[in-house]
Amino acid sequence: MDKFVIKGGNSLNGEVEISGAKNSLLALMPATLLANGTFTFYNVPNLSDIKTMLQLLNNIGVSTSMDMVKKQIQLDTTSIKSFEAPYEYVKKMRASIYVLGPMLARYGEAKVSLPGGCAWGPRPVDLHIDGIKKLGADIKLNNGYIFAKAKKLQGTKIVFNTSSVGATGNILMASTLAKGTTEIHNAAIEPEITQLSDFLNKMGAKIYGIGTNTLTIDGVDELYPTDETIIPDRIEAATFLCACAIVGGKIKLKNIIQNHLTSVLEKLRETGVKISTSENEIEIFSDSNIKVVDIETAPYPNFPTDVQAQWIALMSIANGVSKIKDTIYFDRFKHVPELNRLGANIVVKENVAIVNGVENLVGAKVMSTDLRASASLILSGLKATGITQVLRVYHLDRGYEAIERKLQRLGADIKRVKGEEY
Ligand code: UD1
């Protein structure tokens, strides 16, 4: 297993190109199962989660090819041979459950492993299952698998009691080929769901209300292949902004959509950093003198839970005490004990982290536990005096394309050490 070795203290300066959004592509790739033919995706990030989804689709019978120099993948869905998402893929990556809706809608059956828990606690899929049931499918749970069958899904009204990106995406995909009209109320409005809706409409679907909490889908008989350019990764962008805010410096982010980052930019400005924006670029200047700013994570357009860990890292060196509340995932604080090993002073009470800002962090060996937790450790390592070793960086490779190379180009002293202790 690889680790990162970071010598903290360097400021960040220069330009960084933000990659395509993992979470958008992970929904679009399964959506190809809804039609017959060849799809091309552009601005594809080189990430292990994308490779896992390629393998899963390959296993189902999709021919896949990848050109990472051009940042493109091609998927050909003409020879589907299986309707199963086995445990070996789903346990690696929960987004595998996205194949349930499209497979069922197009082929009348799907067998998908239940994902189980994740590093930060239970993450149920009841909303996916209940929604699919409401569309008329016969669902059985057996041997850790969801078995779903339906000759033809039937349009219906679905009201989610919780805003869920995954369940909205799954039901949306399933309902495009259902008979009649489906309404999804309290639908997620994350940019990744908007891109999925636009993509499905490009394939011939009839989805209305895109970008609002109520989606109306008129089922169609057939969908067709198309191409799509993946939107920029707003979470990667937010991570680089927090990195610069912590260590100081001046960086420009290229290939972003400013509107997707409104809540993060608003909160960052409150910390005292200077930010200027154009539609596709953001420039941040920080003297590393950070004011405390409380946040509460909530569904888009509010502050993303996927930036909670990075925000805690930032607040750990701020001037005072801050409160960071996660209303999406109550247990998502595995990074806190590791940040404390770097000298931070953070206490978690239920779903609130109380962060007492410290003057400085000090390098240590720390352990990655999940994707965004790992990012917070890197950020703190960049700030800490001395050497920080971040172990188990395979978590980072799931969702950050070449993070060490991007940081090196900005002036950070970070290197990957291959295959050592874990
Ligand atoms: C997606 C993102 C993930 C992000 C999360 C919240 C992808 C691949 N992943 O995950 O990075 O952290 O959105 O923004 O896009 N819930 C239920 N029952 C369900 C489904 C969800 O109770 O059937 C709850 C969850 O426990 C959580 C909340 O709903 O409290 C939101 O989760 P959801 O939006 O579904 O997250 P994911 O789609 O899994």
Side-chain angles (χ1 to χ4, degrees):
M1 265 182 258
D2 298 357
K3 67 179 176 186
F4 282 145
V5 179
I6 305 166
K7 187 161 174 250
N10 294 5
S11 61
L12 297 182
N13 293 285
E15 292 184 353
V16 59
E17 187 88 19
I18 297 305
S19 300
K22 163 182 92 78
N23 286 352
S24 203
L25 185 55
L26 286 179
L28 264 55
M29 290 168 77
T32 64
L33 295 170
L34 289 162
N36 227 8
T38 305
F39 294 77
T40 307
F41 293 114
Y42 304 100
N43 196 32
V44 166
N46 191 1
L47 300 170
S48 64
D49 267 9
I50 301 306
K51 287 173 193 150
T52 303
M53 185 58 89
L54 281 171
Q55 285 162 6
L56 167 60
L57 293 174
N58 216 242
N59 195 59
I60 289 171
V62 179
S63 306
T64 60
S65 67
M66 195 172 188
D67 182 339
M68 271 309 130
V69 177
K70 290 187 179 160
K71 298 177 187 289
Q72 285 180 22
I73 54 173
Q74 243 180 19
L75 305 179
D76 178 354
T77 58
T78 39
S79 308
I80 303 299
K81 59 177 195 301
S82 143
F83 310 116
E84 181 176 344
Y87 181 57
E88 56 182 295
Y89 298 108
V90 183
K91 74 168 188 234
K92 263 197 192 167
M93 190 183 67
R94 298 176 53 84
S96 310
I97 196 165
Y98 269 137
V99 300
L100 174 64
M103 224 151 44
L104 178 66
R106 178 98 200 287
Y107 297 100
E109 61 181 293
K111 177 183 171 190
V112 178
S113 169
L114 282 162
C118 81
W120 68 80
R123 284 175 74 183
V125 288
D126 55 316
L127 299 174
H128 300 243
I129 293 174
D130 292 350
I132 295 280
K133 260 190 203 160
K134 276 210 92 181
L135 286 167
D138 176 37
I139 302 259
K140 289 197 175 51
L141 302 183
N142 214 347
N143 302 113
Y145 275 83
I146 306 165
F147 293 82
K149 279 201 166 153
K151 272 211 176 89
K152 180 87 181 160
L153 294 171
Q154 302 286 329
T156 186
K157 180 176 171 181
I158 291 169
V159 184
F160 287 128
N161 56 15
T162 305
S163 174
S164 162
V165 176
T168 301
N170 230 336
I171 302 307
L172 186 60
M173 290 191 269
S175 61
T176 54
L177 291 179
K179 187 162 184 282
T181 300
T182 302
E183 282 176 23
I184 307 177
H185 294 263
N186 196 20
I189 56 166
E190 270 65 4
E192 295 74 26
I193 291 294
T194 298
Q195 174 151 59
L196 175 63
S197 306
D198 289 337
F199 176 67
L200 291 167
N201 276 353
K202 260 173 91 177
M203 288 173 67
K206 291 193 162 37
I207 302 168
Y208 308 96
I210 296 174
T212 75
N213 294 112
T214 306
L215 295 172
T216 305
I217 306 106
D218 286 338
V220 295
D221 290 335
E222 204 176 350
L223 294 171
Y224 305 94
T226 185
D227 300 343
E228 187 67 305
T229 300
I230 304 307
I231 56 171
D233 193 321
R234 62 196 169 99
I235 308 299
E236 188 198 13
T239 304
F240 276 96
L241 291 170
C242 289
C244 184
I246 292 181
V247 298
K250 187 176 175 187
I251 66 171
K252 186 188 268 183
L253 273 54
K254 304 184 83 157
N255 184 34
I256 54 95
I257 296 178
Q258 191 216 130
N259 287 344
H260 293 172
L261 285 154
T262 306
S263 60
V264 173
L265 292 178
E266 198 181 293
K267 290 291 174 188
L268 272 170
R269 284 192 171 106
E270 286 177 35
T271 69
V273 302
K274 300 274 173 289
I275 289 176
S276 58
T277 59
S278 63
E279 206 181 323
N280 305 114
E281 292 182 350
I282 299 177
E283 197 161 51
I284 176 169
F285 166 76
S286 165
D287 60 5
S288 187
N289 188 11
I290 300 295
K291 293 186 196 132
V292 287
V293 178
D294 296 345
I295 58 140
E296 195 170 310
T297 72
Y300 188 84
N302 297 300
F303 197 93
T305 174
D306 285 350
V307 188
Q308 178 255 95
Q310 300 88 315
W311 198 262
I312 291 184
L314 176 59
M315 285 303 112
S316 73
I317 53 98
N319 307 318
V321 181
S322 58
K323 283 188 186 163
I324 286 102
K325 182 172 184 180
D326 200 317
T327 72
I328 312 262
Y329 296 115
F330 283 40
D331 302 327
R332 194 179 196 177
F333 292 105
K334 288 278 192 297
H335 38 287
V336 165
E338 299 300 306
L339 291 171
N340 283 346
R341 297 196 70 246
L342 292 169
N345 181 355
I346 310 161
V347 181
V348 176
K349 288 193 180 139
E350 295 176 346
N351 62 336
V352 181
I354 298 147
V355 185
N356 298 279
V358 294
E359 291 251 311
N360 214 346
L361 301 169
V362 183
K365 250 184 206 175
V366 285
M367 183 81 81
S368 302
T369 50
D370 67 69
L371 175 56
R372 307 305 169 186
S374 317
S376 75
L377 301 179
I378 300 272
L379 268 46
S380 298
L382 293 173
K383 176 72 178 170
T385 54
I387 304 287
T388 297
Q389 297 191 36
V390 181
L391 310 184
R392 300 195 178 180
V393 299
Y394 64 88
H395 289 292
L396 279 153
D397 295 334
R398 293 186 57 181
Y400 288 96
E401 181 173 17
I403 189 167
E404 75 277 28
R405 288 206 292 279
K406 289 188 184 187
L407 285 168
Q408 281 160 3
R409 268 182 237 127
L410 294 172
D413 188 341
I414 174 171
K415 61 175 190 264
R416 180 185 290 258
V417 178
K418 292 232 166 254
E420 289 206 3
E421 65 185 305
Y422 52 89

